[in-house]
Amino acid sequence: MSISTAGVITGDLVGSTEMEEALRRQCIEAIEQCFSLFGETAQGEIYRGDAFQIYTVEPAMLVEIAIRLRLSLIALGQDARLSLSVAEATERELPVRMANNSEAFTLSGRNLDAMKSARLAFSSNSEPFSSDVKIVLAFLDDHLSQLTSKMAQALLLWLDNPSRQHTELAEKFGISRSAFTRIINRANYGRIEETLKWYAGRLVRYQRD
């Protein structure tokens, strides 16, 4: 197998052992739907009932995948711990129980085990890149953790339709334009967009160095 720079997210549901089975199933379905959005560029699997891993050959998508995963769960009133990594990796072979010991997978799994109250962690094989992204994701983590279910739903709709006017999105959401605009402004959608653009630019610099 060829080795290339890839992105990996290893995660698990927060408080899954206390969830009712119907809600746990809803969370699993939301995670699977998120996996499917990225087509052939990403491979994801759920294992052990409440843990999951996704591998992407496009590390530029990694932060967007993480945001979508958390928003999908926050929309259900739940959350997850996500450990992101960008490093060299051989292709993910499913099922996850087939070990992949290349660097991106090792970093992602190790950092998940070390996480405590944080919901986002990041690592890479470049210390300057890793240090920069960790700082930004710490702020993003705090922001996402404060979102309501309705804010998360509105942000997901906006992410799915970034070029649509608020009037159209409000109609899809079933509320007035002014109400929708208030919700996504409170959810600070502009900062999320800026974070995604910043990460993409910082990744380009890292890959060029």
Side-chain angles (χ1 to χ4, degrees), residues 37 64 66-75 140-164 166 169-170 172-173 175 179-196:
L37 288 174
E64 181 181 349
I67 289 173
R68 283 182 176 276
L69 281 166
R70 286 197 62 193
L71 290 178
S72 296
L73 293 169
I74 292 169
L140 178 63
D141 188 3
D142 287 343
H143 175 61
L144 293 177
S145 296
Q146 295 173 28
L147 296 176
T148 65
S149 173
K150 185 169 285 189
M151 288 177 184
Q153 292 171 43
L155 285 172
L156 283 170
L157 181 60
W158 166 72
L159 280 171
D160 288 338
N161 305 275
S163 61
R164 296 287 183 90
H166 287 187
L169 298 179
K172 286 177 175 289
F173 208 63
I175 59 177
F180 182 82
T181 298
R182 279 197 303 273
I183 290 171
I184 60 169
N185 281 343
R186 284 174 56 210
N188 219 334
Y189 76 103
R191 289 289 175 86
I192 289 178
E193 184 175 33
E194 289 169 4
T195 299
L196 290 172

Side-chain angles (χ1 to χ4, degrees), residues 1 5 43 57 70 75 81 89 91 100 108 117 122 124 126 129-131 143 145 147 151 161 164 192:
M1 288 187 182
T5 300
Q43 295 178 324
V57 294
R70 286 197 62 193
R81 300 187 308 160
E91 186 177 352
N100 187 314
S108 181
S117 60
F122 183 86
S124 79
S126 163
F129 178 52
S130 184
S131 179
H143 175 61
S145 296
L147 296 176
M151 288 177 184
N161 305 275
R164 296 287 183 90
I192 289 178

Side-chain angles (χ1 to χ4, degrees), residues 63-148:
V63 173
E64 181 181 349
I65 294 172
I67 289 173
R68 283 182 176 276
L69 281 166
R70 286 197 62 193
L71 290 178
S72 296
L73 293 169
I74 292 169
L76 295 171
Q78 304 302 312
D79 209 341
R81 300 187 308 160
L82 305 178
S83 174
L84 291 65
S85 71
V86 173
E88 290 188 341
T90 54
E91 186 177 352
R92 164 86 277 171
E93 288 187 86
L94 299 178
V96 170
R97 64 176 177 271
M98 295 177 65
N100 187 314
N101 296 319
S102 51
E103 190 171 14
F105 290 94
T106 301
L107 288 172
S108 181
R110 182 187 302 151
N111 275 350
L112 181 67
D113 291 339
M115 290 174 72
K116 295 179 181 177
S117 60
R119 298 288 182 260
L120 289 175
F122 183 86
S123 54
S124 79
N125 52 2
S126 163
E127 183 53 38
F129 178 52
S130 184
S131 179
D132 286 354
V133 178
K134 281 180 182 178
I135 293 170
V136 173
L137 288 197
F139 286 106
L140 178 63
D141 188 3
D142 287 343
H143 175 61
L144 293 177
S145 296
Q146 295 173 28
L147 296 176
T148 65

